[in-house]
Amino acid sequence: MTTMPVSGVTPFPDLDDGDAADLVVRNAKIHTGDPERPAATAMAVRDGRITALGDEATATRHVGPRTRVVDALGRRIVPGLNDSHLHVIRGGLNYVLELRWDGVPSLRQALAMLREQAGRTPKGQWIRVVGGWTAEQFAERRMPTVAELNAAAPDTPVFVLHLYQSALMNRAAVRAAGYTRDTPDPRGGQIVRGRDGEPTGVLLAAPSALILYSTLAAAPTLGEEDRKTSTRHFLRELNRFGLTSAVDAAGGFQSFPENYRTVTELARAGELSLRIAYHLFPQTAGQELDDLRRWIETVRPDEGDEWLRLNGAGENLTWAAADFENFSEPRPELAAGYEAEFEKAVRLLMENGWGFRLHATYDETIRRDLAVFEKLTADGLFPSGNRWLFDHAETVSPRSLERIATLGGSIGVQNRMSFQGRAFVDRYGAEAAERTPPVTEMLERGLPVAAGTDATRVSSYNPWVALHWLVTGRTVGDLCLYPPDRLVSREKALEMYTRGGARMTGEGEVKGLLRTGFLADFAVLSHDYFAVHGDDIPHIESVLTVVGGRLVYAAAEYEGLDEVVPPVSPSWSPVAHFGGYQATPPPGITGARQADRLAEAVAASEQHRQWRVARGFAPENAPQVFDPCFVL
């Protein structure tokens, strides 16, 4: 057997090698997500699918001479996580170029990372901090200043994106981007200027983030081979947190087919470690219908395989119908009459069997879109069986939820409030924030709801930060947003992150839970999600991630069992030196939580003693130990 050290497991007698499992995992606490069999302790995998699930005797009957046997060491196993809204393709193309502040606990540390990276970044390249952080996470509770960026990197261009709200640029970046006193403000954005009229280095989304993204697009990009390496490392980073699937939500500056070429080539070579279902997003205002018609004639949803497949259009269909989600600015008023072109786009998709997803932050947008769908019901286009959903839906109303359900829609929610909750409260008040978004109301109405992050340019790609938000109702800055009755149970939150995503791609019968015949996608966790304190949830990682029976990520006791990926390239990459998400020790190992855990251990010890007494393994009255050191 090819295995990590495991005692007591031998090949099953007379088992034909053609019937033996490729992989057997034993000694586990398996949460299957399957109401018919919610728990198990072992499973067997062959040809990428689960062939046996149950107790150890059930699984080990599938052990042959070449079966890899992995001892889970009593750890918790969950179905592979599926981020239903992740900009994974764009994120992969840029990952190794970015300095990630995700998880960094202080601004002091963040600036030290920036200063160190400036010393190794070659001339002509930029330092980019692009999403995954907020000032609320820092001990200092503030953003860096332009002066601090200039001091940390006087000669290297630095671009720091903060949520959908703003970006900071040092002097070198302002020059590299070509901004001068004569550069006009783009529509929906502002170049902040000093009294002398010169750009200060601050860009504001007012309210459109296009100024932020178009500036970032001016930075150098990677060559094709480095894009492949970058994407493979990004997927490995996602595997680190137990992600086995993601739905790519496309986005601005992500053109088809050129920006999809890298994942397509990796899929063709069998080098994807994450299953991707992708969307197509028209890039040019006024050309949206032409793009959609061309795609409909070229590809169809669900074409592809279990690793790479088209899922539909969106998250924009027409640019005029998209609102913006900068909660530091007032809600944008969309143009009157956008419905005419929007209706044409929706009709075109529905008549050709295409599903779609729509970026809609505010109920005002959702109501206008629903009116278009309701008009199309006269032609039998709603509900029609095509998969469609609203993304984000932070301020969706109860009445709109009813209309979405009637029209056969779904909702994708993301933890943008983890990062933007404070800005929302400051603008709209704590009472309004209590149902932003109204996740429990969505679930109570029976709507299909899938969870995700909307990473990488705002939220972090760490799914456990999103699960923490769903379960505790708290931001990364520990602001409590929701009362207890609006929190989601750990089981339901995990279901939204597993089965929820599978439903959104029409794959609910092959993945999203652990069941015989389903894809063998699962994660062995560093800490038990169902047992740890809520504050510890964001610190969970996977120690072994399996996708289709392949060991794609391995750490801790399993280090070295996973597949080899090429070294990070270019060598000066921030990822090569700092990695991605900056893990910090779970709060549960310090202070009051440490005392809580000791109390839990004492309670467990007493329960164990009582169990032994009840079975006659120990005397009912334990002997008293006399220690004169404790006699007063």
Side-chain angles (χ1 to χ4, degrees):
M1 291 184 293
T2 57
T3 176
M4 64 174 289
V6 176
S7 60
V9 179
T10 57
F12 197 75
D14 303 321
L15 179 67
D16 186 276
D17 193 51
D19 297 325
D22 302 316
L23 173 70
V24 164
V25 181
R26 62 183 289 266
N27 189 22
K29 293 185 291 186
I30 302 174
H31 173 82
T32 66
D34 184 354
E36 296 179 10
R37 183 198 288 270
T41 58
M43 69 177 121
V45 174
R46 181 173 177 82
D47 295 331
R49 299 202 175 227
I50 298 170
T51 55
L53 186 70
D55 59 15
E56 187 147 325
T58 300
T60 54
R61 281 199 291 269
H62 296 261
V63 174
R66 284 186 285 275
T67 301
R68 168 175 272 173
V69 180
V70 172
D71 189 335
L73 302 172
R75 293 186 185 273
R76 173 67 68 186
I77 291 180
V78 297
L81 302 186
N82 185 344
D83 190 321
S84 67
H85 188 121
L86 175 65
H87 296 277
V88 59
I89 293 175
R90 185 176 66 196
L93 296 177
N94 297 284
Y95 177 62
V96 300
L97 292 175
E98 295 173 352
L99 177 65
R100 304 302 306 183
W101 281 356
D102 309 46
V104 174
S106 72
L107 178 58
R108 179 180 180 182
Q109 179 180 336
L111 289 171
M113 295 168 68
L114 185 63
R115 189 176 302 108
E116 183 181 339
Q117 183 60 34
R120 69 171 64 92
T121 301
K123 186 175 181 179
Q125 286 290 343
W126 293 28
I127 300 174
R128 303 157 231 223
V129 180
V130 186
W133 69 281
T134 173
E136 294 296 311
Q137 79 192 43
F138 292 149
E140 298 88 342
R141 300 286 174 147
R142 69 172 180 87
M143 292 174 58
T145 64
V146 171
E148 287 171 324
L149 301 188
N150 286 328
D155 302 313
T156 305
V158 174
F159 178 93
V160 178
L161 178 69
H162 186 239
L163 308 177
Y164 292 111
Q165 301 172 8
S166 60
L168 302 177
M169 306 170 71
N170 68 347
R171 250 184 248 104
V174 171
R175 288 195 300 270
Y179 287 140
T180 69
R181 64 185 304 138
D182 299 321
T183 305
D185 287 344
R187 183 177 178 183
Q190 181 184 354
I191 302 169
V192 178
R193 305 168 197 274
R195 277 181 277 185
D196 59 359
E198 296 291 341
T200 63
V202 177
L203 305 178
L204 297 180
S208 169
L210 290 178
I211 183 176
L212 312 181
Y213 298 159
S214 60
T215 304
L216 181 60
T221 58
L222 293 168
E224 184 53 39
E225 284 307 307
D226 281 343
R227 287 182 186 182
K228 289 181 182 178
T229 300
S230 178
T231 297
R232 292 190 68 182
H233 278 276
F234 184 49
L235 300 187
R236 174 67 66 92
E237 174 76 352
L238 299 177
N239 297 148
R240 167 188 168 191
F241 296 100
L243 281 161
T244 59
S245 292
V247 188
D248 185 83
F253 302 94
Q254 183 173 314
S255 298
F256 180 82
E258 51 268 34
N259 293 132
Y260 293 70
R261 189 170 295 121
T262 298
V263 292
T264 301
E265 292 181 3
L266 290 175
R268 189 175 292 120
E271 294 177 340
L272 292 179
S273 64
L274 186 90
R275 305 184 193 276
I276 300 173
Y278 61 90
H279 285 252
L280 299 182
F281 181 124
Q283 295 295 303
T284 305
Q287 189 181 304
E288 298 97 331
L289 289 173
D290 291 336
D291 286 342
L292 293 174
R293 289 191 189 98
R294 186 173 70 254
W295 296 336
I296 285 170
E297 294 170 358
T298 306
V299 290
R300 292 192 62 80
D302 299 335
E303 284 187 351
D305 55 26
E306 295 159 349
W307 288 97
L308 185 65
R309 58 197 285 126
L310 172 66
N311 197 51
E315 60 182 297
N316 273 6
L317 303 184
T318 60
W319 279 92
D323 58 17
F324 299 103
E325 56 286 358
N326 179 2
F327 296 137
S328 66
E329 293 282 335
R331 177 182 62 83
E333 293 291 340
L334 299 187
Y338 78 72
E339 286 86 349
E341 285 296 297
F342 180 69
E343 179 183 337
K344 293 177 185 178
V346 174
R347 179 183 290 277
L348 178 65
L349 293 168
M350 298 299 277
E351 288 179 343
N352 287 277
W354 275 57
F356 59 86
R357 66 193 309 160
L358 287 171
H359 173 110
T361 301
Y362 299 98
D363 190 57
E364 289 80 358
T365 306
I366 291 171
R367 292 200 306 267
R368 291 178 66 175
D369 292 352
L370 288 171
V372 172
F373 304 160
E374 288 164 346
K375 179 180 176 182
L376 294 174
T377 59
D379 297 327
L381 297 180
F382 287 88
S384 67
N386 293 12
R387 296 187 302 271
W388 70 273
L389 68 142
F390 282 114
D391 273 312
H392 316 311
E394 271 87 359
T395 70
V396 63
S397 66
R399 175 60 184 143
S400 292
L401 292 177
E402 293 173 8
R403 295 167 70 188
I404 294 168
T406 300
L407 293 167
S410 306
I411 298 180
V413 297
Q414 299 79 41
N415 65 312
R416 304 192 305 185
M417 291 291 282
S418 288
F419 295 83
Q420 298 190 95
R422 171 60 68 184
F424 189 94
V425 169
D426 289 346
R427 176 162 296 278
Y428 299 106
E431 185 175 349
E434 287 183 358
R435 63 176 311 278
T436 304
V439 178
T440 53
E441 294 177 35
M442 298 172 188
L443 296 171
E444 287 165 1
R445 282 172 169 76
L447 280 163
V449 182
T453 59
D454 198 14
T456 60
R457 290 186 171 176
V458 177
S459 302
S460 172
Y461 50 75
N462 182 347
W464 300 101
V465 175
L467 285 160
H468 167 264
W469 165 73
L470 285 166
V471 169
T472 69
R474 293 182 174 274
T475 69
V476 294
D478 205 35
L479 172 66
C480 184
L481 296 173
Y482 313 122
D485 63 340
R486 291 192 178 275
L487 301 180
V488 178
S489 71
R490 297 193 190 202
E491 291 80 4
K492 177 56 70 173
L494 185 62
E495 182 188 11
M496 292 164 60
Y497 236 106
T498 51
R499 296 190 75 182
R503 292 190 190 103
M504 295 297 181
T505 57
E507 298 175 284
E509 297 305 313
V510 294
K511 69 181 180 183
L513 49 80
L514 301 178
R515 176 188 286 173
T516 302
F518 273 50
L519 295 171
D521 299 352
F522 56 89
V524 183
L525 302 183
S526 60
H527 300 83
D528 188 345
Y529 166 67
F530 295 104
V532 297
H533 190 275
D535 292 345
D536 292 347
I537 292 175
H539 301 270
I540 294 174
E541 296 188 17
S542 175
V543 294
L544 187 68
T545 303
V546 177
V547 187
R550 292 166 46 197
L551 277 58
V552 298
Y553 177 81
E557 298 89 349
Y558 311 99
E559 188 170 356
L561 293 182
D562 51 354
E563 301 168 351
V564 176
V565 296
V568 174
S569 176
S571 60
W572 54 265
S573 161
V575 172
H577 297 270
F578 298 109
Y581 191 95
Q582 299 295 301
T584 54
I589 67 170
T590 61
R593 280 299 301 144
Q594 185 181 55
D596 289 345
R597 294 220 174 148
L598 286 172
E600 292 166 5
V602 170
S605 178
E606 176 58 21
Q607 287 178 347
H608 182 62
R609 188 191 71 80
Q610 292 175 4
W611 181 89
R612 290 174 55 81
V613 168
R615 288 157 179 76
F617 299 144
E620 184 168 355
N621 296 313
Q624 299 296 313
V625 178
F626 175 73
D627 187 340
C629 292
F630 292 93
V631 176
L632 297 179

